Amino acid sequence: MLSKRNPQLNKNGELIHLLSTEGLSRDILTHILDTASSFVSVNDREVKKVPLLRGKSVFNLFFENSTRTRTTFEIAAKRLSADVINLDIARSSAAKGESLLDTIANLSAMAADIFVVRHGESGAPYLIAQHVAPHVHVVNAGDGRHAHPTQGLLDMYTIRHYKKDFTQLTVAVVGDVLHSRVARSDIHALTTLGCPEVRVVGPRTLVPADMREMGVRVFHDLEEGIRGCDVVIMLRLQNERMSGALLPSSQEYFKSFGLTPQKLQLAKPDAIVMHPGPINRGVEIDSAVVDGAQSVILPQVTFGIAVRMAVMSIVAGNEA
Amino acid sequence: MNMAKSGALVLDAEALYAELRGAVQPLVAAGARLVGVTSGGAWLAERMHQDLGLSGKPGVISSVMHRDDFARRGLASGGAQTLLPFEVEGADILLLDDVLYTGRTIRAVLNELFDYGRPARVRLAVLVDRGGRELPVAADIAAARIALSADQSLALARDASGAFSFQVEGA
């Protein structure tokens, strides 16, 4: 049975699905990060595989396109020795009119153990989690504007790797916060992990009104927003999710909110720059910053594999 | 104070450690590399490495990635990760553990070890072989061989000064 209070946890408070970083305790978040660190070294082995998910099937269900996230989940599942089935649902049964739950019922009949779900609608992974058998686990790989918990966790892993401790940090999340499920997942996780100052920086049209209720400081000026920061998380300008005229043009946007080496100097000298990718060079971030010494964008990708291994192996070991 | 008592059973962990160290020394002198099984065995390896005046660091190996009870118990948290600061391929390896019981940890550890390369030889030295094997695994060296029942648990502890003691719990 799913816990009524939090559908991600079983009655013993163990993680059975990963749907959002919201509502996960500091202990659970820390356990995931600690477990991920034990998987980072799998890369150093002669045999780059561990048998924890041997005999299990991971179904990658991407109702929305994504290459990077799908690939990192696939690599993570394969390093855990799972069989991986990639379904490009966007182009198959859903297009023929099958309902989401019928699709899940069919795939469950093919003996799926873990569903990795990306969906354009917020909440779709919750719906799936409520309808799968007790031994089946759901990992949210991004739902609408709501959450992208594995990205949030890999961001936390990256921050912890470089900064060691959350309790002294000022972290700025910059850009298109309105459309960003990454921003929400990051903010929940940072707050839970004890980060004392989380800032959100962006134009008024791209920062939702409820942000202050999440306990963050809101800035509409990049220079002000990143001044003195330890960590700057840049968000991608999500043109494909924008309806109407939220922005004048991407050149205008770069002028006001693009992170350049000059602006980055306002952050602490040892500040790190992160980005969930894909990057729009010259739109939200200058090439010189992407390729600069403070950028940890590529390590984020590498850590993402270990974090996804941790999440899948933790949920797979817990029964509903 | 390093005595653990359970009925008639008395295990002096420090005395057993001294005996084990004496038996291990010639193997190390002949080129064997120490690898401690987390967590008790890693403590042993760390101290023995120091007491024998060896250079560098001993290896640490974890059974977590290869445990056969993952499906039932999930992923164990905590404990050190595998860290083998030498080339495993072709090495003469001496695994150290505090207690040998079912043999399942050693089975998992052997799998873990072979993920790093093909050692020339692997031997096992333990403080206590407590019987109750469920797999064909044997210790090459055991400082003590005793028989404990399945409802008893035996674990090595290390105090702040680094001294070892055994804790026996249960009937």
Side-chain angles (χ1 to χ4, degrees):
Chain A
M1 276 298 290
L2 295 174
S3 150
K4 279 227 158 50
R5 263 186 29 248
N6 190 335
Q8 310 185 83
L9 307 178
N10 66 13
K11 59 182 188 313
N12 302 324
E14 298 163 329
L15 194 71
I16 46 169
H17 307 292
L18 179 69
L19 305 175
S20 168
T21 54
E22 187 179 7
L24 296 186
S25 66
R26 189 185 294 204
D27 282 352
I28 287 184
L29 295 180
T30 305
H31 176 49
I32 295 170
L33 301 184
D34 290 346
T35 304
S37 77
S38 68
F39 288 124
V40 167
S41 65
V42 170
N43 260 330
D44 305 333
R45 297 170 184 226
E46 178 86 13
V47 179
K48 291 173 183 48
K49 235 175 177 15
V50 292
L52 291 173
L53 295 189
R54 197 161 59 110
K56 306 276 186 204
S57 296
V58 174
F59 280 55
N60 269 334
L61 294 185
F62 280 67
F63 294 88
E64 204 181 65
N65 290 330
S66 158
T67 307
R68 176 186 329 238
T69 303
R70 204 210 67 212
T71 306
T72 52
F73 267 107
E74 181 172 351
I75 294 169
K78 285 179 171 171
R79 296 244 166 106
L80 292 168
S81 307
D83 294 314
V84 184
I85 294 92
N86 288 314
L87 289 131
D88 191 355
I89 300 283
R91 269 175 250 161
S92 64
S93 35
K96 295 177 187 160
E98 188 177 61
S99 82
L100 177 59
L101 291 178
D102 281 335
T103 302
I104 295 302
N106 272 275
L107 298 173
S108 295
M110 299 176 201
D113 296 288
I114 296 180
F115 288 118
V116 175
V117 181
R118 167 162 291 191
H119 203 287
E121 294 294 326
S122 300
Y126 284 79
L127 182 68
I128 296 171
Q130 277 158 1
H131 288 87
V132 293
H135 73 278
V136 178
H137 308 280
V138 178
V139 178
N140 183 359
D143 62 330
R145 296 181 186 183
H146 170 250
H148 192 353
T150 58
Q151 179 72 44
L153 287 164
L154 80 86
D155 286 349
M156 296 310 111
Y157 188 95
T158 306
I159 294 171
R160 195 175 77 162
H161 177 84
Y162 290 102
K163 299 291 171 192
K164 310 301 174 205
D165 178 24
F166 290 95
T167 63
Q168 307 289 328
L169 296 182
T170 301
V171 178
V173 180
V174 181
D176 182 2
V177 179
L178 178 66
H179 299 96
S180 178
R181 49 199 176 203
V182 176
R184 253 166 276 270
S185 291
D186 279 343
I187 292 166
H188 285 300
L190 283 165
T191 309
T192 306
L193 289 167
C195 180
E197 185 164 340
V198 182
R199 301 176 182 177
V200 156
V201 186
R204 285 173 202 282
T205 48
L206 294 181
V207 174
D210 63 352
M211 272 294 141
R212 282 189 180 85
E213 289 159 30
M214 290 177 77
V216 304
R217 289 182 69 189
V218 176
F219 293 81
H220 298 298
D221 178 276
L222 181 61
E223 281 88 344
E224 283 306 306
I226 64 173
R227 195 181 298 278
C229 276
D230 299 279
V231 178
V232 182
I233 301 174
M234 300 303 295
L235 300 171
R236 182 173 65 90
L237 200 59
Q238 304 202 20
N239 284 313
E240 77 277 16
R241 285 183 216 280
M242 280 190 209
S243 48
L246 290 172
L247 282 179
S249 73
S250 56
Q251 290 89 339
E252 277 296 305
Y253 181 84
F254 183 72
K255 243 163 97 181
S256 318
F257 289 97
L259 186 64
T260 59
Q262 294 74 34
K263 288 177 182 165
L264 181 56
Q265 285 180 0
L266 295 167
K268 289 200 180 141
D270 64 346
I272 53 170
V273 177
M274 298 166 45
H275 192 300
I279 300 162
N280 294 314
R281 287 173 188 256
V283 178
E284 69 266 358
I285 187 164
D286 191 288
S287 265
V289 176
V290 175
D291 305 325
Q294 286 167 272
S295 166
V296 296
I297 296 170
L298 291 177
Q300 279 179 275
V301 178
T302 307
F303 295 147
I305 294 171
V307 166
R308 288 173 177 124
M309 288 173 76
V311 167
M312 286 192 277
S313 58
I314 288 170
V315 296
N318 295 328
E319 281 264 322
Chain B
M1 79 181 265
N2 295 321
M3 305 278 189
K5 287 189 187 172
S6 174
L9 179 68
V10 176
L11 288 170
D12 181 339
E14 281 294 322
L16 292 173
Y17 167 73
E19 190 176 330
L20 188 68
R21 189 184 56 209
V24 162
Q25 185 165 25
L27 307 187
V28 172
R33 309 297 300 250
L34 294 181
V35 176
V37 178
T38 57
S39 52
W43 298 339
L44 282 178
E46 194 184 306
R47 180 151 156 210
M48 206 172 283
H49 199 266
Q50 200 177 358
D51 289 353
L52 296 177
L54 304 174
S55 61
K57 282 189 160 195
V60 173
I61 197 158
S62 160
S63 64
V64 167
M65 301 290 178
H66 288 275
R67 292 203 68 86
D68 59 14
D69 53 3
F70 168 70
R72 276 190 295 130
R73 287 175 39 185
L75 204 59
S77 62
Q81 303 163 24
T82 297
L83 192 66
L84 299 167
F86 53 84
E87 187 67 43
V88 169
E89 189 75 29
D92 179 3
I93 292 191
L94 183 60
L95 293 173
L96 288 176
D97 207 356
D98 50 354
V99 179
L100 176 60
Y101 180 25
T102 62
R104 289 177 191 270
T105 297
I106 298 303
R107 195 282 304 164
V109 157
L110 286 171
N111 280 97
E112 176 85 355
L113 186 60
F114 278 73
D115 281 353
Y116 288 82
R118 180 180 184 270
R121 173 160 63 173
V122 184
R123 284 173 291 187
L124 173 64
V126 299
L127 280 182
V128 177
D129 175 350
R130 59 162 288 180
R133 215 81 70 244
E134 293 168 0
L135 292 173
V137 169
D140 298 275
I141 302 169
R145 294 183 197 265
I146 59 175
L148 290 183
S149 63
D151 51 11
Q152 290 176 297
S153 81
L154 177 67
L156 189 68
R158 180 170 72 165
D159 71 15
S161 70
F164 293 136
S165 60
F166 265 116
Q167 287 170 344
V168 188
E169 277 166 22

